[in-house]
């Protein structure tokens, strides 16, 4: 297993322990294009839930309970799928190494 695959998979698995920090560091310090590509994908996928949270807070101040509840539910569902996608992509990158 090469270090580029391990580091790329670690960027996806960092959703468990380092969040946005590890993909950001790898993105700016990695030499290999493969690792940088996966670090950028992991960074974007780990930043999206924060964007959803902004929309939820905006909807909370709209005064409409149905809209607020809808945005909150949508953000929770999308964040869950992004979490699962990070795990799947980490496993996929590790399988490519073999």
């Amino acid at each position: 297993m090469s270090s580029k695959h391990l580091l790329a998979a670690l960027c996806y698995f960092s959703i468990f322990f380092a969040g946005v920090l590890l993909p950001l560091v790898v993105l700016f310090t990695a030499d290999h294009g493969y690792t940088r590509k996966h670090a950028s994908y992991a960074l974007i996928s780990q930043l999206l839930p924060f964007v959803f949270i902004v929309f939820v807070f905006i909807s909370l101040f709209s005064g409409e309970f149905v809209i607020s509840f809808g945005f909150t539910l949508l953000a929770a569902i999308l964040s869950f799928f992004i979490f699962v996608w990070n795990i799947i992509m980490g496993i996929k990158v590790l399988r490519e190494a073999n």
Side-chain angles (χ1 to χ4, degrees), residues 30-89:
D31 294 334
H32 202 275
Y34 179 83
T35 308
R36 292 184 70 175
K37 178 183 81 166
H38 284 287
S40 66
Y41 291 163
L43 180 66
I44 290 169
S45 69
Q46 292 175 12
L47 283 176
L48 279 177
F50 292 111
V51 174
F52 298 152
I53 289 172
V54 169
F55 283 116
V56 166
F57 278 122
I58 290 171
S59 71
L60 286 175
F61 295 112
S62 71
E64 289 290 327
F65 174 75
V66 175
I67 294 173
S68 176
F69 181 74
F71 272 127
T72 305
L73 187 62
L74 181 65
I77 291 170
L78 290 175
S79 295
F80 173 74
F81 281 119
I82 289 171
F83 180 78
V84 171
W85 182 82
N86 274 299
I87 295 169
I88 290 171
M89 287 301 294

Side-chain angles (χ1 to χ4, degrees), residues 11-23:
C11 286
Y12 289 113
F13 291 139
S14 71
I15 198 164
F16 290 114
F17 56 88
V20 176
L21 185 63
L22 184 66

